[in-house]
Amino acid sequence: MAGEKKQEGRETEMSLIENLPIIIEESRESVRSIIAGSYTAAEQIGQGQNILLQGDNLPFMKYLLDQRDLLGEINLIYIDPPFFSKTSYGSELKLHSDKIKKIPVIKQKAYHDVWEDGMEEYLRMLTVRFLLMKELLAEDGCLWVHLDWHSVHYVKILLDEIFGEKNFINEIIWNYKSGGVSKNHFARKHDTLLFYAKSSKYYFKAQKEKSYNRDYKPYRFKGISEYKDELGWYTMVNMKDVWQINMVGRTSAERTGYATQKPEQLIERILESCTKEGDLCADFFGGSGTLAATADRRGRRWISCDIGELAAVNTHKRLVSATKAGYIFYIESNHMENRGTLEVKTDLQPLSVSDKIKLTVTLMEYRPDSLHNIPVEKKYLPVIKRIIREDPLQLVDYWSVDFDYAGTVYRPKVFFCKGNDEICRSCDWLAKEFGRIGIHCIDIFGNRTFHVIDLRREG
């Protein structure tokens, strides 16, 4: 009986291998029918033209090719797609209210890595996207695909076919300490990153790392530079393909709370190896926004996209106060409708010692339009309903104000992100006169609301 099951497993595996050429060919046909997406700028942060987008990456990549003229313009694409883990991922919401005691931790859904039609559906999803990524890459560009043991062996075969075996550069093993253990197998403590070039002209700058001498003692070889630290003597050598980098710890300053967040040190090593300052980088499975944050800090231009509302909002919160270059936060045009109601109080006070007027904007009330837009299990809905009834501003995760909103591009002058406990609910601004102001609010579930007030009419 056991032998029959093993044989059945082999036949299933062979069936999938035999279908790989079909997956590739049908994906090539699918690419021809993809329609470019339509997007609206929700916020312009600073002056930069970097792009953060909330939406499906497939029509977005087509949009970049057809309407942004980015054919062959992206220097590096790093993606951290679902791993085919057959698991649903989420995050924990810890709300604190003076009006409601002991609010339980609320678990909200981030994304599902579950595929009804199994591995074949998953590989089709990736293949059609790989084909578009290849078109977007510059001739000296490269693609990094971040996976683990679940599917990396199949994905490598697909990438060999799409990019060419000769353009496979490295298999990088990222080794870390955290993760589960099992009595049935060795502890799984690494991810795999597949590094492919667009062509033989790819840019690469080897990074250096310490290589400790045997017994940590000096060799004193002629012409070899040696160094010493607290462990002992070492030389500097080109970096190897196994990287020991810690995951983002619970107390780390860069931690966002996103379930599958990757460390900035990992992405920084990739950027330093394969891009130059000013190069354009992209992540089409943006997640927690680590590539965008690291690229921004290291002087690279960037594009980050994620279909998940929570992922896009968390990235926006991560970048909005830290960005050096600035960016535009885009949302799919058909998702721009308000999904909440915001009540705002404005107060104008002339200043006796100045020709300016002080405007105070205060959030008074917020309510999501529907509980259907709240990505939590049903057992948490009674808690959500109580919060909406007794302390609804606890649901506000982010809000910003454009004090000179002209009705076209929204450029906030101030913005506020929810911290561990509270979010600032009031702000002041000075100006000689006020016309229309815009207020953009996003709740903890990713629902957005845009509110415009014409202070000339109110006056």
Side-chain angles (χ1 to χ4, degrees):
M1 194 71 180
E4 290 179 6
K5 289 184 177 180
K6 288 182 180 179
Q7 183 62 33
E8 182 180 338
R10 287 196 195 98
E11 290 174 358
T12 302
E13 183 179 354
M14 286 301 298
S15 175
L16 179 57
I17 291 174
E18 290 170 350
N19 277 338
L20 291 182
I22 299 173
I23 290 173
I24 293 173
E25 186 57 36
E26 291 182 351
S27 295
R28 294 188 195 278
E29 291 293 327
S30 296
V31 166
R32 299 187 182 99
S33 62
I34 296 170
I35 300 173
S38 174
Y39 308 100
T40 302
E43 293 194 26
Q44 167 80 62
I45 305 300
Q47 301 300 316
Q49 297 300 303
N50 296 313
I51 295 173
L52 168 63
L53 180 121
Q54 176 190 314
D56 188 340
N57 56 24
L58 202 56
F60 178 55
M61 284 190 278
K62 186 66 172 174
Y63 162 81
L64 294 177
L65 287 165
D66 293 352
Q67 299 180 32
R68 284 300 189 97
D69 298 322
L70 288 184
L71 176 69
E73 294 294 326
I74 298 180
N75 303 99
L76 178 140
I77 296 175
Y78 163 88
I79 61 168
D80 178 19
F83 283 5
F84 194 75
S85 63
K86 302 179 183 179
T87 302
S88 294
Y89 294 92
S91 60
E92 294 184 345
L93 294 173
K94 299 178 181 179
L95 303 180
H96 304 274
S97 171
D98 294 333
K99 300 178 182 180
I100 306 173
K101 302 300 181 183
K102 296 182 180 179
I103 299 176
V105 173
I106 300 170
K107 295 182 179 181
Q108 63 177 335
K109 305 167 188 175
Y111 70 92
H112 297 286
D113 189 5
V114 179
W115 307 85
E116 291 184 5
D117 294 332
M119 180 67 77
E120 185 168 328
E121 179 191 0
Y122 170 80
L123 295 177
R124 287 178 183 275
M125 180 276 295
L126 285 177
T127 302
V128 68
R129 286 160 173 81
F130 290 150
L131 292 167
L132 288 177
M133 290 176 198
K134 186 177 181 182
E135 291 187 44
L136 287 164
L137 278 174
E139 281 302 301
D140 63 350
C142 59
L143 170 70
W144 287 69
V145 181
H146 189 144
L147 296 165
D148 72 358
W149 60 273
H150 289 93
S151 64
V152 67
H153 45 297
Y154 290 121
V155 173
K156 185 182 183 303
I157 295 172
L158 294 172
L159 289 171
D160 280 348
E161 177 64 25
I162 295 169
F163 282 82
E165 293 179 50
K166 63 182 180 182
N167 289 321
F168 173 62
I169 309 302
N170 272 117
E171 177 187 53
I172 301 296
I173 301 301
W174 170 35
N175 178 232
Y176 42 76
K177 294 180 180 179
S178 57
V181 297
S182 172
K183 295 180 180 180
N184 299 319
H185 54 71
F186 295 110
R188 292 166 178 152
K189 302 286 187 179
H190 81 273
D191 289 358
T192 302
L193 290 86
L194 302 176
F195 167 20
Y196 280 81
K198 172 74 173 285
S199 73
S200 60
K201 301 175 182 178
Y202 71 99
Y203 173 82
F204 181 75
K205 180 181 179 182
Q207 303 298 297
K208 297 290 185 178
E209 65 180 358
K210 294 179 180 180
S211 177
Y212 285 97
N213 298 353
R214 189 175 290 108
D215 298 325
Y216 302 99
K217 297 178 181 179
Y219 288 149
R220 307 192 193 284
F221 294 144
K222 186 177 180 180
I224 301 297
S225 297
E226 294 182 284
Y227 311 90
K228 186 180 181 183
D229 63 11
E230 65 277 3
L231 289 179
W233 289 87
Y234 65 90
T235 58
M236 296 301 295
V237 300
N238 285 354
M239 192 169 287
K240 296 180 282 295
D241 58 3
V242 177
W243 298 352
Q244 177 71 51
I245 298 175
N246 290 331
M247 281 188 165
V248 181
R250 292 186 176 274
T251 60
S252 171
E254 67 182 80
R255 186 174 180 84
T256 67
Y258 195 79
T260 55
Q261 181 179 354
K262 301 305 185 291
E264 290 187 12
Q265 185 182 353
L266 176 70
I267 304 303
E268 184 170 1
R269 187 171 292 181
I270 294 171
L271 292 177
E272 292 296 316
S273 301
C274 295
T275 66
K276 305 178 288 294
E277 191 169 339
D279 279 353
L280 180 58
C281 311
D283 183 352
F284 296 107
F285 294 85
S288 63
T290 299
L291 178 124
T294 310
D296 196 282
R297 179 168 52 81
R298 299 302 299 173
R300 275 69 169 168
R301 295 175 295 137
W302 55 267
I303 298 169
S304 182
C305 165
D306 200 288
I307 196 171
E309 292 176 338
L310 294 177
V313 172
N314 284 339
T315 300
H316 187 39
K317 288 173 57 182
R318 181 177 185 175
L319 288 165
V320 69
S321 59
T323 182
K324 295 179 180 179
Y327 60 95
I328 305 173
F329 181 18
Y330 287 97
I331 295 176
E332 288 179 323
S333 297
N334 59 348
H335 288 167
M336 284 296 289
E337 75 282 356
N338 285 349
R339 293 197 299 192
T341 301
L342 186 66
E343 293 183 19
V344 178
K345 177 184 176 182
T346 58
D347 182 43
L348 291 167
Q349 293 290 335
L351 300 179
S352 58
V353 295
S354 170
D355 62 346
K356 292 185 177 181
I357 303 170
K358 182 176 79 169
L359 168 63
T360 302
V361 179
T362 306
L363 299 187
M364 302 301 293
E365 195 85 6
Y366 169 76
R367 295 179 185 277
D369 285 346
S370 171
L371 294 180
H372 295 298
N373 296 323
I374 296 180
V376 299
E377 295 178 13
K378 289 184 178 180
K379 65 180 179 180
Y380 296 112
L381 290 181
V383 179
I384 302 300
K385 290 178 181 178
R386 186 181 178 191
I387 295 171
I388 293 173
R389 185 173 62 251
E390 299 181 25
D391 194 3
L393 289 181
Q394 285 296 330
L395 300 180
V396 175
D397 196 34
Y398 168 88
W399 67 287
S400 61
V401 185
D402 182 346
F403 294 99
D404 188 25
Y405 180 59
T408 52
V409 180
Y410 177 80
R411 301 177 184 273
K413 306 298 188 300
V414 297
F415 35 78
F416 304 96
C417 301
K418 189 177 184 66
N420 294 329
D421 297 319
E422 293 288 338
I423 188 170
C424 179
R425 301 183 180 188
S426 181
C427 67
D428 298 329
W429 194 259
L430 302 180
K432 291 184 177 181
E433 62 179 4
F434 290 95
R436 291 202 302 172
I437 67 170
I439 302 165
H440 187 201
C441 172
I442 306 175
D443 70 18
I444 58 178
F445 307 111
N447 300 312
R448 62 178 300 279
T449 303
F450 189 66
H451 194 62
V452 178
I453 302 174
D454 193 334
L455 294 173
R456 294 167 298 188
R457 293 180 182 176
E458 301 222 344

